[in-house]
Amino acid sequence: MRGIIYTRVSTDKETQQTSLIRQKEELVKIAEAENIQVIDIIEEKASGYEIERDGIFIMLERFKKQEANILLIQDDTRLGRGNAKMALIHQLNKMNVKIYSLKDNGELALSETDSMVLDIVAIVEEYQRKLQNVKIKRGMKRAVSNGFDPSMNLLGATRGGGRKRKEVPLKEILRLRESGMTFHELALMLRGMGYSISKATAHRRYQEHMKSLSND
């Protein structure tokens, strides 16, 4: 197993610095005892209610790249407090990361309330995904019924080499935006139509168009 040690204190006080050292030493010993190869040790001094922590982003990125599969912490409060903690645990669960807690002497043991919150979040997230897919499918059907031929955009994909298509269907962006779609949703739909376009590009072209109208 490959693991990441995460330690955190909330202030720069000397007693807190001692806590950081103690957390690290104890977790290193546990990793050695459990035969876990530690690839990184992250130390942070930040409030547990703050989600925008550099160490957290580094940790999540390394797990995303599958460089490690287990997180070692002193206890769940080191990850964070309140909603920040629940959001991080949810994200780690989605990446199939095992959380080892020194306090629990093994895998992190959640309270009944915390487990219930995570279950609800997972259910809501799944239904949001389903609703988004339904919305995209309905938009695709409307586009086809209005004369759009998906096969026309597949021709470029079959050609070897050459530059990727860069044309952006401004008319479709405006229509989909007017129908209530977010830029994320309409970008997904346009990619399904064969256009290579990101959410950022769709948003930029839309803003450029609206700005040009205001200048007329």
Side-chain angles (χ1 to χ4, degrees):
M1 293 185 291
R2 293 165 63 83
I4 294 175
I5 288 176
Y6 179 80
T7 64
R8 182 189 65 79
V9 293
S10 56
T11 70
D12 287 320
K13 293 181 180 179
E14 185 177 346
T15 54
Q16 295 280 283
Q17 182 62 38
T18 302
S19 174
L20 269 182
I21 296 172
R22 186 181 68 254
Q23 289 179 50
K24 181 173 66 173
E25 290 177 346
E26 291 177 346
L27 290 170
V28 167
K29 288 180 181 179
I30 289 295
E32 292 174 350
E34 297 293 332
N35 197 30
I36 299 172
Q37 179 186 355
V38 177
I39 68 165
D40 200 358
I41 298 177
I42 298 172
E43 300 179 19
E44 285 202 300
K45 297 176 183 178
S47 168
Y49 293 101
E50 178 59 58
I51 196 67
E52 294 186 16
R53 292 175 252 151
D54 290 340
I56 288 296
F57 291 129
I58 292 171
M59 176 185 73
L60 292 176
E61 183 64 22
R62 301 205 72 172
F63 281 129
K64 182 179 179 181
K65 293 179 179 178
Q66 299 183 338
E67 296 176 3
N69 58 1
I70 184 168
L71 174 67
L72 296 97
I73 55 175
Q74 181 185 54
D75 56 65
D76 61 347
T77 64
R78 296 308 93 200
L79 280 179
R81 303 277 187 175
N83 293 335
K85 180 187 75 174
M86 300 308 296
L88 284 171
I89 292 176
H90 176 62
Q91 190 64 30
L92 291 166
N93 286 342
K94 287 173 63 177
M95 292 189 285
N96 296 316
V97 174
K98 180 180 178 181
I99 306 174
Y100 187 103
S101 165
L102 190 61
K103 178 182 177 182
D104 297 313
N105 195 29
E107 192 163 354
L108 178 64
L110 295 173
S111 68
E112 186 175 337
T113 300
D114 285 349
S115 296
M116 182 176 67
V117 169
L118 288 176
D119 288 341
I120 292 173
V121 170
I123 291 171
V124 171
E125 192 172 72
E126 175 64 16
Y127 272 88
Q128 286 179 330
R129 185 187 65 79
K130 289 181 178 179
L131 286 171
Q132 184 182 69
N133 288 340
V134 169
K135 198 171 184 180
I136 291 172
K137 288 179 181 178
R138 287 170 64 88
M140 180 70 83
K141 287 181 179 179
R142 286 199 301 270
V144 172
S145 66
N146 288 335
F148 174 76
D149 183 2
S151 64
M152 295 299 294
N153 285 320
L154 295 177
L155 295 177
T158 61
R159 300 193 189 108
R163 300 178 64 182
K164 295 180 180 179
R165 62 179 298 145
K166 292 185 177 180
E167 62 264 32
V168 176
L170 180 59
K171 182 178 179 181
E172 288 298 322
I173 290 176
L174 297 175
R175 184 178 65 80
L176 295 175
R177 184 63 178 162
E178 289 174 359
S179 72
M181 281 193 177
T182 65
F183 287 106
H184 175 70
E185 291 169 343
L186 67 84
L188 286 175
M189 181 173 170
L190 290 173
R191 286 201 291 271
M193 292 179 175
Y195 291 99
S196 177
I197 183 172
S198 66
K199 180 182 84 169
T201 299
H203 180 265
R204 183 171 62 254
R205 294 302 175 88
Y206 178 83
Q207 293 296 332
E208 289 173 353
H209 175 74
M210 298 306 292
K211 185 177 181 179
S212 68
L213 291 179
S214 64
N215 290 336
D216 289 342

